[in-house]
Amino acid sequence: MSDMLSIGASGVRAYQTALATVGENIANVGTVGYARRAVMLAEVAGGSGSTNGYGAGNGVYLLGVDRSSDIYSAAALRATTSDLTRTTKGAEWLDRIQNALTGNQLTARVTSFFGSAQALAAEPDSTALRTGMLSAASSTALAFTATGKAFDQVDADLQTAGTQAAQTLTSLGNSLTRINEGISRSQPGSTAAAQLMDQRDTILSQMSEMVDIDVRMDTIGRATVKLGGPEGAAFVQGATTGTVSYSRNQDGTAAFSVTIRGEVKDIAASGGTLAGITDGAQRVAAIRQSLNAVAEDFVKSVNDNQAAGVDRAGLAGKPMFSVTGAATNIQIDKDFDDGKLIAAASAATPTKPAGGVRDSSNLAALESTRVTKGFEASLTTLITGNATAYKQKNTIAEAQAAIRDGAATAQSTATGVNLDSEAVDLIRFQQAYAASGRVIQIARETMQTILDIR
């Protein structure tokens, strides 16, 4: 009878844990990052040397709590998350660039400036038209300056975003090393180990949003991580983690690096926020270089045109614009304070005298320069090119979101909680628990019957 009692007691203990595990699964059906648990049971074998060779074993015991996992679906989800994040973050920077290019109506201001020059060419002696052209020139200078400052702000935001991304990734690495240490100390197959592995996978998922990662697990579940793919820089190795840094190169492009055990290695990010920031910085640098070229050419062309003509008083034309610092930091020259200084007429040459107050040939030359240089066309190309890239990014993001959602579904199917399955297990373990209790009751009743024999 003692055998029946111990067998029943072992069943009660085992199925009590099984019921608690099912209850935990049901309670966390909506918990992000939770992986389904299942109890592992094994028979307690009968002892050797038994006088009854056909006797039963000694009950059941709990091997541990098994945590559902699928390394392939997890890796696929991390990869698709990195790809999607790179695209969406890149699109955000393209949107910022578009706002910087269009927010100050630079193209319209340049068009207005040349339009005012054409109006003055029709009546070069008009004081009102000269004042209008000077006002249009001032507005154009302000638009160039404001556009440059808008790009300064984008650069500053890139610096902030890059620094924050590096700090976030470093913090996630520190958290993962602590989890690795906890897994080392926890008993394999325990609930504590399963909880730590849930936390580990959550951290890895957050890392994959920051950068594409390569993950390797050891036999007890500790993660080793490389940044930038299988051939990338080592970041987390057991209880050691690296420090991620962000910097801007002289050409305006962005770079990330990781320092671990005193060794510095560049991160060749091809996914995640880091890649999105790198793409954004490269795009900003390229467009700003083109914008600076347009600004420099515009100022030089207008000032050269001024030098080639004479103003209303017949004096040599003075520079209309001056530049302080950055190429886009344009202002009306301090000595150019009156519309009468606009050099509408052509200057004297060895073969002909300077034009009079009714001469507008120098303004006609300015219009020819406008057509030849194509200032407005260059600015329009920058705007439309960036807008096209932004639209393409959004289209790609939609496709990548669908792929990522499919990977998330596959991961959920493999490791998530299914309430229908849990309901079946709940009934099955409840019946087993009740039956084990009944075994104990029968053993007690049988023992009492024996004791009652006189």
Side-chain angles (χ1 to χ4, degrees), residues 278-317:
T278 302
D279 292 344
Q282 185 175 10
R283 186 78 179 182
V284 168
I287 289 185
R288 187 152 198 173
Q289 183 178 12
S290 298
L291 179 64
N292 287 344
V294 172
E296 290 171 355
D297 204 12
F298 175 79
V299 170
K300 184 178 184 302
S301 296
V302 173
N303 286 346
D304 286 350
N305 178 264
Q306 280 287 116
V310 294
D311 62 18
R312 190 174 184 180
L315 301 176

Side-chain angles (χ1 to χ4, degrees), residues 266-406:
D266 291 337
I267 301 172
S270 61
T273 299
L274 268 61
I277 291 173
T278 302
D279 292 344
Q282 185 175 10
R283 186 78 179 182
V284 168
I287 289 185
R288 187 152 198 173
Q289 183 178 12
S290 298
L291 179 64
N292 287 344
V294 172
E296 290 171 355
D297 204 12
F298 175 79
V299 170
K300 184 178 184 302
S301 296
V302 173
N303 286 346
D304 286 350
N305 178 264
Q306 280 287 116
V310 294
D311 62 18
R312 190 174 184 180
L315 301 176
K318 296 180 178 180
M320 182 179 293
F321 297 111
S322 61
V323 178
T324 304
T328 53
N329 194 17
I330 303 172
Q331 55 272 329
I332 299 295
D333 191 87
K334 60 183 178 61
D335 295 326
F336 203 96
D337 56 358
D338 196 300
K340 66 183 181 181
L341 298 175
I342 295 173
S346 60
T349 67
T351 59
K352 68 174 184 177
V357 293
R358 300 296 301 173
D359 179 30
S360 62
S361 57
N362 199 47
L363 289 176
L366 179 62
E367 179 63 20
S368 296
T369 301
R370 171 195 187 185
V371 174
T372 302
K373 297 290 187 178
F375 302 112
E376 296 133 294
S378 297
L379 293 172
T380 300
T381 298
L382 288 178
I383 294 171
T384 55
N386 189 77
T388 300
Y390 176 64
K391 183 178 180 180
Q392 289 174 342
K393 284 282 188 184
N394 286 330
T395 301
I396 294 171
E398 290 177 1
Q400 289 178 332
I403 295 171
R404 195 278 311 272
D405 291 345

Side-chain angles (χ1 to χ4, degrees), residues 9-264:
S10 69
V12 167
R13 289 191 297 268
Y15 294 117
Q16 185 177 25
T17 302
L19 285 168
T21 302
V22 172
E24 183 77 1
N25 289 338
I26 294 172
N28 287 280
V29 64
T31 302
V32 177
Y34 180 85
R36 181 179 181 272
R37 322 274 204 255
V39 292
M40 298 180 292
L41 304 176
E43 180 188 10
V44 179
S48 60
S50 174
T51 57
N52 183 3
Y54 302 100
N58 292 324
V60 65
Y61 72 100
L62 185 68
L63 283 173
V65 176
D66 180 49
R67 176 182 176 271
S68 298
S69 64
D70 186 333
I71 58 174
Y72 301 107
S73 63
L77 180 57
R78 289 193 294 266
T80 54
T81 298
S82 292
D83 291 341
L84 176 60
T85 305
R86 175 181 186 172
T87 303
T88 54
K89 292 298 180 182
E92 288 176 9
W93 291 114
L94 289 175
D95 187 41
R96 293 289 306 277
I97 292 170
Q98 194 70 9
N99 291 334
L101 285 172
T102 60
N104 297 288
Q105 300 179 333
L106 176 57
T107 306
R109 299 292 177 85
V110 173
T111 299
S112 177
F113 169 74
F114 285 110
S116 67
Q118 285 181 312
L120 180 60
E123 194 176 345
D125 195 33
S126 171
T127 300
L129 291 176
R130 284 178 175 270
T131 301
M133 183 174 174
L134 181 59
S135 176
S138 178
S139 295
T140 303
L142 288 173
F144 269 111
T145 301
T147 301
K149 290 186 181 299
F151 274 96
D152 288 340
Q153 185 59 53
V154 174
D155 276 330
D157 292 344
L158 272 168
Q159 183 68 33
T160 300
T163 302
Q164 289 179 344
Q167 292 173 348
T168 299
L169 196 51
T170 299
S171 177
L172 290 172
N174 291 329
S175 298
L176 185 58
T177 57
R178 289 193 292 270
I179 291 172
N180 280 343
E181 292 173 350
I183 292 174
S184 298
R185 293 191 297 267
S186 64
Q187 181 180 353
S190 64
T191 300
Q195 292 171 344
L196 287 168
M197 290 177 186
D198 281 350
Q199 296 173 24
R200 177 203 64 196
D201 285 357
T202 299
I203 294 294
L204 292 174
S205 177
Q206 293 172 354
M207 280 187 180
S208 69
E209 292 181 5
M210 303 302 300
V211 63
D212 53 311
I213 59 176
D214 178 69
V215 181
R216 294 289 184 270
M217 304 290 184
D218 64 12
T219 55
I220 64 173
R222 293 174 299 189
T224 297
V225 178
K226 290 183 178 180
L227 305 181
E231 304 301 322
F235 180 48
V236 176
Q237 296 177 327
T240 304
T241 187
T243 301
V244 179
S245 302
Y246 170 76
S247 61
R248 296 290 293 277
N249 301 320
Q250 289 188 349
D251 61 0
T253 56
F256 290 91
S257 61
V258 59
T259 304
I260 183 170
R261 297 189 178 96
E263 182 180 357
V264 180

